[in-house]
Amino acid sequence: MARVDYTERIPNNVSLAENRRLLRALEEWQPRYLDWWQQMGPDGFQAKDVYLRTAISVDPQGWAHFDWVKMPEYRWGIFLAEPEPARSIAFGEHKGTPAWQDVPGEYRGTLRRLIVTQGDTEPASVEQQRHLGRTCPSLYDLRNIFQVNVEEGRHLWAMVYLLHAHFGRDGREEAEALLQRRSGDSDKPRILGAFNEKTPDWLSFFMFCFFTDRDGKYQLASLAESGFDPLSRTCRFMLTEEAHHMFVGESGVGRIVQRTCEIMKQHPNDDPRTHGVIDLPAIQRYLNFHFSVSLDLFGSEISTNAANFYTLGLKGRFEETKKTDDHLLKNATYRIITLDKDRLLETEQPALPTLNERLRDDYVADCQRGVDRWNRIIREHGIDVHLRLPHRGFHRAIGACAEVRVSPDGRLLNQADWDAHKHEWLPTETDKTYVQNLMKGVTEPGKFANWIAAPARGVNGQPVDFEYVRLA
């Protein structure tokens, strides 16, 4: 079992003490990280004890330890999954050769860009969510957002370790820049668009965790296939923590849907808003927005970068080793949606440059499974409404549909039609104001805001009314 060494200033399972130069560099970065956390981490709760999970090993069994800890004292560290003996590269032109333990010189810049882009998303989401603690719907939810936040901070550490350990001065400079960019900043924004959007309320937070963190799952899973073994091992462990973030999102939206349905059943002729819950059409509009901006994170449908990443063995497909093709794809094709003048068509394209779309397809199918579970809640309450994922061309800023207007059901629209109906499909200012006005902090153990149902169970076997955050 690969236990984490907590006797070190920077907890790790990579024998950091044996590399004094690397250790000193990371110890110099650590106080700057803590300054960033104090400035941009959860606002108003840094001195509070929170019931948090901390990794104690990286094996699948019993890897987490729960206890109260103040967030600035959380033991962020560097954890890589266990190495696979004699691991070889599973795809691309290096297929069958031993996985790289060091960065191949010819791929140095490309690998660094992949790591920096992934690393930049981690602090961005903490910055987007930093004010939400003050309007928490319960102590249970407050604890969950803080768990997400500290783990995003640890994922930043994971990428910074790779930059410091394998990329020399360039890596150190990139690690510094990760602390200098800010979500939504006009001068130094985060790299990817979705991570510059505001997360002003808890409905947006839950949608973010469900949709945008799910993109993170698929990106990490693709990087976990990398021929660069330290990146693969880092991402494999990060995926263990990412699962909790998606659970927070799916269960959070599900609990909102459940509470709305309870009110609709009790008051079938009333507007749910008169009873202080979030109506299903508004939930659909938030869903449409967060799904569409998350789709953009996968990039364009046809991408030479994606083809190169794969051919060079740097980034694979989701569950690459479970696929039964030749893992080269030079002669393979894949069907994607393309824009042909005034029509959206499915066309057969070479498989390598369409890898972004293949990954997006896996993502969409996964999202649909979650939406199906939300719809089951609605159906169990006897309500004839269905939440739906919009067409993948809806509200896109990247790819084939970026320059056109597409309705949620996939129709191409002119600008006038879009302007006439967009308020039906995307959150309106009225929606945002209404949802924002519901956001009142509820911090009594076991109590929940009126607009969300209690969870079915607590954290780590604790009761729902457990004191997950000690505010006194």
Side-chain angles (χ1 to χ4, degrees):
M1 181 173 71
R3 296 192 65 84
V4 176
D5 184 357
Y6 276 101
T7 65
E8 297 289 345
R9 181 175 170 185
I10 300 172
N12 70 92
N13 70 338
V14 295
S15 302
L16 196 57
E18 297 175 11
N19 187 335
R20 303 306 298 178
R21 182 176 180 180
L22 175 59
L23 178 61
R24 284 195 300 273
L26 288 169
E27 286 181 342
E28 289 178 6
W29 188 83
Q30 186 179 43
R32 290 192 281 276
Y33 168 82
L34 290 172
D35 287 344
W36 167 82
W37 179 268
Q38 291 284 6
Q39 294 172 27
M40 301 305 298
D43 182 40
F45 294 90
Q46 302 285 5
K48 306 302 181 183
D49 290 320
V50 185
Y51 187 68
L52 293 174
R53 177 184 66 190
T54 304
I56 57 173
S57 69
V58 297
D59 63 300
Q61 290 79 37
W63 62 269
H65 171 72
F66 285 82
D67 203 353
W68 280 277
V69 61
K70 292 177 176 60
M71 284 182 284
E73 299 170 6
Y74 189 79
R75 301 306 308 278
W76 287 289
I78 299 158
F79 317 135
L80 274 64
E82 293 274 21
E84 296 178 12
R87 177 175 179 256
S88 62
I89 300 171
F91 59 94
E93 62 185 17
H94 300 287
K95 178 187 171 187
T97 63
W100 304 303
Q101 300 306 316
D102 297 306
V103 177
E106 65 269 35
Y107 305 152
R108 186 181 183 84
T110 306
L111 259 175
R112 188 179 73 237
R113 178 155 55 98
L114 282 170
I115 292 168
V116 168
T117 301
Q118 179 62 45
D120 193 70
T121 69
E122 313 296 352
S125 61
V126 176
E127 293 166 357
Q128 288 171 301
Q129 298 156 14
R130 68 182 305 259
H131 296 294
L132 289 179
R134 296 184 180 278
T135 57
C136 64
S138 71
L139 286 185
Y140 167 88
D141 293 293
L142 186 62
R143 177 262 165 215
N144 278 349
I145 194 173
F146 292 159
Q147 183 73 58
V148 169
N149 291 158
V150 296
E151 288 178 352
E152 300 290 18
R154 205 209 63 75
H155 294 177
L156 171 60
W157 268 96
M159 296 296 111
V160 164
Y161 164 72
L162 293 176
L163 291 170
H164 274 273
H166 297 280
F167 294 91
R169 178 182 295 178
D170 290 344
R172 293 191 294 274
E173 290 175 354
E174 294 283 14
E176 291 299 320
L178 289 171
L179 297 178
Q180 293 166 1
R181 287 187 287 271
R182 294 287 184 269
S183 176
D185 189 284
S186 58
D187 296 322
K188 290 187 175 181
R190 291 297 173 179
I191 294 170
L192 300 176
F195 292 90
N196 290 301
E197 298 285 349
K198 292 182 179 179
T199 308
D201 55 71
W202 280 78
L203 175 58
S204 298
F205 167 68
F206 291 135
M207 290 287 183
F208 181 97
C209 289
F210 180 81
F211 287 113
T212 307
D213 278 329
R214 193 170 305 275
D215 161 77
K217 165 188 170 180
Y218 282 86
Q219 301 297 342
L220 289 173
S222 299
L223 292 171
E225 303 287 348
S226 178
F228 180 43
D229 202 48
L231 175 59
S232 171
R233 292 173 58 200
T234 296
C235 292
R236 278 190 278 134
F237 182 73
M238 289 169 69
L239 282 164
T240 307
E241 296 175 319
E242 200 74 30
H244 171 70
H245 307 179
M246 291 182 292
F247 164 78
V248 169
E250 182 177 330
S251 62
V253 174
R255 289 161 52 214
I256 296 172
V257 168
Q258 178 182 334
R259 181 60 180 148
T260 298
C261 290
E262 290 169 356
I263 291 296
M264 290 176 69
K265 197 167 184 179
Q266 294 170 19
H267 308 279
N269 299 318
D270 294 355
D271 179 350
R273 293 193 181 192
T274 64
H275 297 278
V277 297
I278 304 172
D279 52 292
L280 295 178
I283 293 173
Q284 178 69 67
R285 289 191 286 273
Y286 276 74
L287 182 162
N288 290 346
F289 174 80
H290 285 273
F291 178 66
S292 62
V293 299
S294 298
L295 287 181
D296 278 344
L297 294 171
F298 290 87
S300 297
E301 292 87 350
I302 296 177
S303 168
T304 55
N305 280 339
N308 290 336
F309 295 157
Y310 188 86
T311 299
L312 301 179
L314 305 182
K315 182 180 180 183
R317 292 170 292 177
F318 179 66
E319 297 185 334
E320 178 72 44
T321 55
K322 295 182 180 180
K323 301 190 186 303
T324 56
D325 54 33
D326 65 3
H327 303 277
L328 299 174
L329 306 182
K330 291 182 179 179
N331 300 312
T333 60
Y334 194 73
R335 291 185 69 81
I336 69 169
I337 292 175
T338 55
L339 179 66
D340 181 19
K341 296 180 181 177
D342 59 350
R343 295 184 301 167
L344 293 174
L345 301 175
E346 274 201 3
T347 61
E348 204 81 19
Q349 299 290 333
L352 278 171
T354 61
L355 285 170
N356 283 346
E357 194 67 2
R358 181 164 191 156
L359 190 61
R360 190 162 20 230
D361 284 344
D362 292 331
Y363 168 83
V364 170
D366 199 6
C367 288
Q368 185 61 57
R369 288 188 284 270
V371 174
D372 289 344
R373 287 188 283 270
W374 296 337
N375 281 327
R376 191 177 307 133
I377 297 170
I378 299 173
R379 189 167 61 250
E380 288 170 352
H381 284 81
I383 296 169
D384 187 21
V385 174
H386 289 84
L387 298 173
R388 290 180 171 84
L389 294 176
H391 188 275
R392 69 181 61 208
F394 172 78
H395 191 236
R396 292 290 300 282
I398 292 175
C401 294
E403 301 304 319
V404 295
R405 296 298 193 179
V406 181
S407 68
D409 60 1
R411 291 175 292 115
L412 281 177
L413 306 174
N414 59 38
Q415 189 65 43
D417 285 340
W418 170 267
D419 291 340
H421 294 282
K422 66 180 180 180
H423 67 281
E424 302 169 18
W425 304 328
L426 291 169
T428 65
E429 290 306 314
T430 300
D431 291 335
K432 295 174 186 177
T433 299
Y434 173 73
V435 171
Q436 190 64 55
N437 287 339
L438 293 178
M439 300 294 115
K440 312 291 184 186
V442 176
T443 56
E444 183 179 346
K447 300 295 183 182
F448 291 81
N450 177 65
W451 51 268
I452 191 169
R457 60 189 63 85
V459 176
N460 190 38
Q462 301 293 351
V464 171
D465 62 357
F466 186 69
E467 190 180 15
Y468 290 105
V469 182
R470 292 171 170 169
L471 298 177

